[in-house]
Amino acid sequence: MTCCEAEAMSSGTGVMPIRQVQDNGTSRFGTLTRKTIAEGLFDVALLMSNASQLNAILAAGSGAKFYSIILGFLITSIVLQLIVGGVLLAIATLEIKQDSGRKLHSTLNTVAVGLIGFITAVNIFITAFGVNVTNSAIGNNTL
């Protein structure tokens, strides 16, 4: 009988307690690193998507439906993504050993989350208005 089984039997519940796992920090670091890399790839994919949509709407010209609205949303989204990238870079390089560093870190993190939420909303509107460009509008270029 293991110590955990003995503890479960003595408690009368028959439920074994969860084992405490020693964490040397490597598993958390690995998880955070993978999460950061995945988020970075999603950010790059969104930036590339917005750049492609910008190219399509500019190729379609001012005669396209909702041209100025979509153009404004795309430029806003791209600029905000670049700002968020700068904020995240500042967060990554910030020393948080002192209280002032923790406060700044928390503030920048809140700003980044707010901007990401706004970028998401802008991209929902971009999708709602749509960037529909036919081959004739871009000179029948094929890949």
Side-chain angles (χ1 to χ4, degrees):
M1 181 178 305
T2 66
C3 66
C4 293
E5 290 170 339
E7 188 178 328
M9 291 179 74
S10 66
S11 68
T13 62
V15 178
M16 293 177 57
I18 298 173
R19 289 187 189 176
Q20 295 295 322
V21 178
Q22 288 259 337
D23 185 17
N24 60 4
T26 57
S27 63
R28 184 170 184 262
F29 176 76
T31 302
L32 290 176
T33 302
R34 285 190 299 272
K35 183 179 174 187
T36 302
I37 291 170
E39 288 174 350
L41 291 175
F42 283 125
D43 292 342
V44 169
L46 180 59
L47 188 61
M48 289 176 59
S49 173
N50 284 162
S52 175
Q53 291 170 330
L54 182 62
N55 183 28
I57 196 69
L58 290 174
S62 60
K65 191 175 182 181
F66 303 119
Y67 174 80
S68 58
I69 294 171
I70 295 172
L71 186 63
F73 281 144
L74 285 169
I75 291 171
T76 301
S77 179
I78 291 170
V79 168
L80 288 177
Q81 287 175 58
L82 294 174
I83 291 170
V84 166
V87 170
L88 293 176
L89 185 62
I91 289 172
T93 59
L94 192 62
E95 291 286 332
I96 58 172
K97 294 179 182 174
Q98 300 171 352
D99 285 338
S100 62
R102 284 188 210 118
K103 285 183 181 180
L104 182 58
H105 182 273
S106 177
T107 302
L108 288 176
N109 195 37
T110 302
V111 167
V113 169
L115 288 173
I116 290 169
F118 189 68
I119 290 168
T120 303
V122 168
N123 277 278
I124 289 170
F125 283 109
I126 291 169
T127 303
F129 283 105
V131 180
N132 297 325
V133 179
T134 62
N135 282 341
S136 62
I138 55 174
N140 290 324
N141 290 336
T142 58
L143 299 175

